[in-house]
Amino acid sequence: MLNNNDIEILQEVMNIAFGKASADLAEVIDIRVFLNVPYVELLNAADLPRRIVEEVKMYKDIRIVEQNYWGKFKGSALLIFPAESGKGLISLFEDDFDENMNVDRLVFEKETLLEVGNILIGACVGKIAELLDDVVSYSPPNVTVQRISKQPILERLADPEKHAIFMKTVFQFEDKDVSGALFLISGQDSLTWLKTALNNFMAKFG
């Protein structure tokens, strides 16, 4: 089980990883992404839906990009945007959108969410895995639109028999009215490996 010292090291690893991910994202989409200092908590998996809802309760309707990652470090990533962020998200790729194209704006918004999710989740999770000497693969991202009061995705994550690592950061795109929250949820299967990997990470610094 992770102790408080392990949690502090994981927060530092995420902080370093997100800084590197932000720099990489600026090159990929030519926009700076500001990622807040991450928050990490170890909790019973049954409490996950309640904790996530608490974090995004200011939103009435939300867009969720879900993507699973596998390696020694494995789990689920949830990228949550308020529903009204759609216009701002499209503006990130406005050069690719032509009002005269026979493409439904909602379809384009969904495709944009998938693209943003794939890039942001891949950059953040990939950098954490890299710092901990792991390599991860990813499932295709999936987008859902729902009210925060109904959270079938979140309920799927709840398992009273397991513990989970709840990792959250808030992000914002520079000069764009787009912000949201990224949650990384790794289950009990990763805990033993993660504790060893964090100790090995610190050992590099003597």
Side-chain angles (χ1 to χ4, degrees):
M1 190 70 71
L2 301 183
N3 56 34
N4 290 338
N5 187 52
D6 297 326
I7 295 291
E8 288 181 9
I9 298 171
L10 180 56
Q11 281 178 317
E12 185 57 30
V13 168
M14 290 180 67
N15 210 19
I16 297 169
F18 288 1
K20 292 177 179 289
S22 180
D24 287 355
L25 286 166
E27 293 184 9
V28 173
I29 58 178
D30 199 27
I31 297 174
R32 285 194 68 187
V33 182
F34 299 104
L35 294 153
N36 282 11
V37 175
Y39 171 78
V40 180
E41 180 181 347
L42 182 67
L43 74 174
N44 188 292
D47 293 327
L48 277 171
R50 175 185 59 77
R51 285 291 290 112
I52 294 175
V53 168
E54 282 177 358
E55 297 289 343
V56 297
K57 62 184 178 185
M58 70 290 285
Y59 307 138
K60 182 179 179 183
D61 296 320
I62 54 175
R63 308 280 191 264
I64 301 178
V65 183
E66 180 188 23
Q67 190 168 31
N68 296 321
Y69 49 94
W70 289 283
K72 294 171 185 172
F73 180 52
K74 60 184 177 181
S76 298
L78 299 177
L79 194 61
I80 299 181
F81 296 95
E84 56 271 23
S85 65
K87 186 176 179 180
L89 282 169
I90 288 177
S91 74
L92 296 175
F93 298 90
E94 56 190 358
D95 291 343
D96 298 332
F97 184 72
D98 183 346
E99 294 283 357
N100 297 319
M101 289 191 307
N102 188 25
V103 177
D104 186 285
R105 197 170 184 87
L106 288 177
V107 173
F108 190 78
E109 181 182 328
K110 181 178 179 180
E111 293 298 320
T112 302
L113 279 165
L114 289 171
E115 182 72 13
V116 170
N118 211 23
I119 293 171
L120 196 55
I121 292 169
C124 292
V125 173
K127 288 298 180 186
I128 294 173
E130 182 182 316
L131 288 173
L132 297 178
D133 296 325
D134 190 22
V135 176
V136 294
S137 56
Y138 304 89
S139 68
N142 183 48
V143 175
T144 59
V145 179
Q146 61 186 72
R147 288 182 177 272
I148 193 59
S149 58
K150 299 177 180 179
Q151 54 269 359
I153 289 179
L154 307 188
E155 295 296 345
R156 268 197 286 113
L157 300 172
D159 184 341
E161 302 299 320
K162 293 184 178 180
H163 285 83
I165 312 162
F166 173 80
M167 298 167 272
K168 177 207 169 190
T169 187
V170 175
F171 59 89
Q172 183 159 16
F173 293 93
E174 185 179 35
D175 298 328
K176 302 286 183 183
D177 186 22
V178 179
S179 61
L182 171 64
F183 299 92
L184 304 180
I185 300 142
S186 287
Q188 198 156 326
D189 295 345
S190 290
L191 288 178
T192 302
W193 169 81
L194 188 57
K195 189 176 183 67
T196 301
L198 292 170
N199 288 333
N200 291 341
F201 174 79
M202 289 304 295
K204 295 176 185 175
F205 303 97

